[in-house]
């Protein structure tokens, strides 16, 4: 049987920003961002109905349709079904600068999962989805529904050959551990829980994935922006809010060590995020082609072993964390 994750590359492109996350971008810039990722060798692309109420799926699918389908891997997510919103308005309350043409309805039922996937295929304009992820169950009114109903629905579709791989995408460590230990998931998208600043996934989630052969898609590796800055300051965001003084001080200390070894903070963040053996891809969001090109260059650049040794010695990195070799 063909490995559904065979095309997944060490760097993946997340499409939240293509859904006008925080700010609107035009169609030309959206297309150029995806094409730059392709030119830089990215062959794994992630999206979701949630991103701009379908806008990211439409934009991503439009560009990917120009390339041979068998040469890349695509994931989208289920759990939020989009329904028409006659009231209109803006989707800014959900973080996306786009018209609220639809509203989200939580639905992890078998019917909801199938409808979500069918709708995603229509928006994408593609013939199949390689990886389906249950999206943010912890934010729903009934988080256990993802395990109770959503996972069995995805497993049935996988058994039928409709899907290649299934899993969950969340920042909730408890749910990630439950999926890693209680299900036959193929992948986990770990969001913001395995970064230079946050390594709690090392306690249980990543060991369980390594033991069971579950591959990790490591997302939000900049912790929503802080680690993407070469010189982090008080205006930076951490976990989608203003950075606190203690976190900023720790980040600056890490950046100072990086600088002593001729490495930028973003380069170190990307290198570290992909170093664990369970990680199949580091997934970054981007809304400009230059950001993609920069990330591709950084993740390909070597980092000196002494950098990681000094971070451990300074108490800035867990000593049990795998580092690039």
């Amino acid at each position: 049987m063909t490995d559904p994750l065979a095309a997944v590359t060490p760097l993946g492109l997340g499409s939240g920003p293509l859904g006008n996350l925080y700010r609107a971008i035009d169609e030309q810039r959206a297309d150029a961002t995806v094409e730059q990722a392709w030119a830089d060798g990215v062959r794994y692309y992630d999206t979701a109905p949630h991103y701009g109420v379908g806008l990211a799926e439409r934009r991503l699918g439009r560009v990917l349709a120009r390339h041979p389908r068998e040469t890349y891997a695509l994931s989208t997510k289920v759990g939020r079904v989009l329904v028409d919103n006659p009231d209109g308005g803006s989707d800014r309350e959900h973080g996306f600068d786009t018209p609220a043409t639809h509203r989200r309805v939580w639905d992890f039922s078998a019917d909801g999962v199938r409808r979500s996937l069918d709708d995603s295929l229509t928006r994408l304009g593609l013939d199949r989805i390689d990886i389906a992820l249950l999206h943010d169950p912890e934010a729903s009114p009934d988080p256990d529904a993802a395990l109770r109903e959503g996972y069995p629905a995805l497993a049935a579709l996988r058994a039928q050959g409709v899907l290649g791989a299934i899993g969950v995408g969340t920042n909730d460590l408890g749910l990630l551990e439950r999926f890693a230990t209680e299900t036959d998931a193929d992948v986990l998208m770990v969001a913001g829980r395995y970064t230079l600043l946050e390594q709690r996934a090392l306690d249980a989630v990543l060991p369980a994935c390594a033991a069971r052969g579950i591959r990790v898609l490591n997302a939000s590796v900049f912790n929503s922006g802080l680690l993407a800055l070469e010189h982090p300051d008080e205006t930076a965001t951490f976990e989608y809010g203003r950075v606190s003084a203690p976190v900023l001080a720790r980040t600056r200390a890490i950046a100072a060590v990086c600088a002593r070894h001729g490495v930028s903070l973003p380069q170190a963040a990307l290198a570290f995020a992909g170093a664990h053996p369970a990680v199949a891809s580091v997934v970054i969001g981007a809304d400009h082609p230059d950001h993609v090109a920069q990330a591709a260059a950084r993740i390909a650049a070597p980092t000196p072993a002494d950098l990681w040794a000094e971070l451990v010695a300074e108490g800035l990195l867990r000593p049990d964390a795998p580092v690039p070799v």
Side-chain angles (χ1 to χ4, degrees), residues 243-270:
V243 64
S244 68
V247 172
L248 179 59
R250 183 178 181 85
T251 306
R252 284 174 163 169
I254 293 172
V257 174
C258 291
R260 286 198 288 273
H261 294 273
V263 175
S264 71
L265 180 62
Q267 179 186 335
L270 287 167

Side-chain angles (χ1 to χ4, degrees), residues 225-296:
L226 179 59
L227 291 173
L229 302 174
E230 295 198 22
H231 307 288
D233 58 28
E234 294 81 0
T235 65
T237 56
F238 175 73
E239 297 291 287
Y240 302 99
R242 185 60 62 85
V243 64
S244 68
V247 172
L248 179 59
R250 183 178 181 85
T251 306
R252 284 174 163 169
I254 293 172
V257 174
C258 291
R260 286 198 288 273
H261 294 273
V263 175
S264 71
L265 180 62
Q267 179 186 335
L270 287 167
F272 175 78
H276 194 284
V279 173
S281 186
V282 175
V283 185
I284 58 125
D287 67 1
H288 194 285
D290 289 351
H291 300 163
V292 179
Q294 195 172 49

Side-chain angles (χ1 to χ4, degrees), residues 136-263:
D136 295 340
E138 77 286 353
S140 73
D142 182 10
D144 281 346
L147 275 159
R148 187 178 64 248
E149 302 177 59
Y151 169 74
L154 289 181
L157 293 171
R158 180 181 60 185
Q160 296 164 20
V162 175
L163 297 170
I166 61 173
V168 66
T170 176
N171 60 16
D172 186 285
L173 286 167
L175 277 169
L176 287 166
E177 184 177 356
R178 289 189 67 188
F179 271 90
T181 58
E182 299 176 20
T183 75
D184 190 26
D186 304 290
V187 295
L188 298 185
M189 179 167 277
V190 177
R193 294 296 170 260
Y194 193 63
T195 75
L196 263 184
L197 283 169
E198 163 68 88
Q199 291 122 47
R200 285 184 295 159
L202 267 180
D203 293 334
V205 174
L206 292 180
C209 289
R212 302 192 64 202
I214 298 170
R215 282 172 281 186
V216 171
L217 308 169
N218 197 6
S220 299
V221 299
F222 294 135
N223 286 117
S224 82
L226 179 59
L227 291 173
L229 302 174
E230 295 198 22
H231 307 288
D233 58 28
E234 294 81 0
T235 65
T237 56
F238 175 73
E239 297 291 287
Y240 302 99
R242 185 60 62 85
V243 64
S244 68
V247 172
L248 179 59
R250 183 178 181 85
T251 306
R252 284 174 163 169
I254 293 172
V257 174
C258 291
R260 286 198 288 273
H261 294 273
V263 175

Side-chain angles (χ1 to χ4, degrees), residues 8-129:
V8 170
T9 41
L11 181 64
L13 181 68
S15 65
L18 300 183
N20 289 352
L21 181 63
Y22 305 133
R23 59 181 179 179
I25 63 172
D26 60 32
E27 300 300 318
Q28 182 178 7
R29 180 163 149 184
D31 284 12
T33 299
V34 181
E35 288 289 17
Q36 183 64 53
W38 188 273
D40 285 325
V42 173
R43 295 296 182 268
Y44 168 53
Y45 300 87
D46 176 67
T47 189
H50 173 56
Y51 303 154
V53 285
L55 178 61
E57 288 185 316
R58 291 192 297 273
R59 284 175 161 173
L60 183 63
R62 181 176 65 226
V63 178
L64 290 181
R66 304 169 187 167
H67 301 284
R69 182 63 188 87
E70 68 278 6
T71 60
Y72 62 86
L74 171 73
S75 62
T76 193
K77 305 185 184 76
V78 299
R80 295 175 175 94
V81 175
L82 302 184
V83 299
D84 289 338
N85 179 25
D87 295 334
S90 170
D91 198 48
R92 284 182 180 273
E93 68 173 290
H94 295 284
F96 297 93
D97 185 7
T98 190
T101 55
H102 294 76
R103 59 186 179 87
R104 302 159 180 84
V105 175
W106 287 105
D107 193 344
F108 287 107
S109 71
D111 287 345
V113 165
R114 286 191 293 267
R115 176 181 172 184
S116 182
L117 290 171
D118 286 344
D119 290 349
S120 288
L121 284 170
T122 298
R123 286 188 292 267
L124 287 160
L126 300 173
D127 62 352
R128 74 177 186 277
I129 291 159

